Amino acid sequence: QKQRKKHRIMMISSSSLMLMLASMLTATTNAQQSILGGRYVTTNDVSGILALAQDAADMKEATDGTVKASIYSEGRHGKDGGASATKLSFADLSLNAPATMGKSPYYNIYRHGFLQIGNIDEGETEGDFDGNPASVYGDTIVNDLFDLDIENIETDAALVMNVWMAALHE
């Protein structure tokens, strides 16, 4: 089995990232919401995005790595906007990135950086980073971090890699 490479990432406050994401992501409904004790009124329904904060809390509280991975990949509380209101997970933010962020300059800067790491630095197949398409680099890094025995590193990485890129995109 291929030895997975481990990568360093910078940690950012989970509550700050969730607030930024909720304030920046747009939903397909026009319902306004008052959040943060009435100090902020959204122009769209962001309750489904804000619910990802509960997924982060559930991941941090879970002691079983399999449970943490399930919450990350399948989600529990998050919902995308719109009439369908389907379940949204942290993994979805990265796995859907090629379609939702494909024209984003920020996303493409990072994607090209991970292409460089994968193709040139690590000798990966063209277009891959750590055995997966470079376009889903956030998901790849988070899944790699589940293998480490460092408390909450995968949860923090999901917020930094997946939520932050989604917030920058919006």
Side-chain angles (χ1 to χ4, degrees):
Q1 184 178 0
K2 176 184 166 188
Q3 178 69 25
R4 301 204 91 174
K5 296 170 181 69
K6 307 301 178 215
H7 306 280
R8 294 179 123 196
I9 59 171
M10 179 176 32
M11 299 300 151
I12 297 175
S13 161
S14 59
S15 57
S16 297
L17 284 172
M18 290 310 299
L19 179 59
M20 285 188 284
L21 178 65
S23 66
M24 298 168 92
L25 286 177
T26 56
T28 57
T29 64
N30 290 322
Q32 290 187 339
Q33 283 184 281
S34 176
I35 59 174
L36 299 175
R39 294 183 302 241
Y40 183 83
V41 177
T42 68
T43 56
N44 297 298
D45 181 0
V46 295
S47 59
I49 299 297
L50 286 174
L52 282 173
Q54 185 60 49
D55 282 359
D58 288 353
M59 285 176 69
K60 286 188 176 203
E61 289 176 11
T63 56
D64 183 303
T66 304
V67 172
K68 285 184 177 200
S70 174
I71 296 168
Y72 168 76
S73 63
E74 298 169 22
R76 283 189 176 170
H77 305 283
K79 303 256 186 238
D80 69 359
S84 65
T86 58
K87 194 179 282 190
L88 179 69
S89 70
F90 286 118
D92 291 334
L93 297 175
S94 177
L95 296 173
N96 297 334
T100 60
M101 301 180 212
K103 294 182 180 179
S104 167
Y106 293 113
Y107 166 75
N108 282 303
I109 288 169
Y110 281 92
R111 185 177 60 81
H112 283 286
F114 285 102
L115 280 172
Q116 167 81 21
I117 293 169
N119 297 152
I120 297 172
D121 298 343
E122 297 179 353
E124 297 271 345
T125 302
E126 183 67 33
D128 283 356
F129 164 69
D130 207 12
N132 296 299
S135 58
V136 295
Y137 62 84
D139 184 63
T140 301
I141 288 175
V142 172
N143 280 305
D144 282 354
L145 294 174
F146 275 103
D147 295 337
L148 299 180
D149 188 23
I150 300 174
E151 186 177 7
N152 297 319
I153 193 168
E154 66 286 316
T155 306
D156 292 339
L159 295 168
V160 171
M161 299 301 294
N162 302 5
V163 174
W164 180 241
M165 187 50 63
L168 279 177
H169 167 66
E170 294 296 328

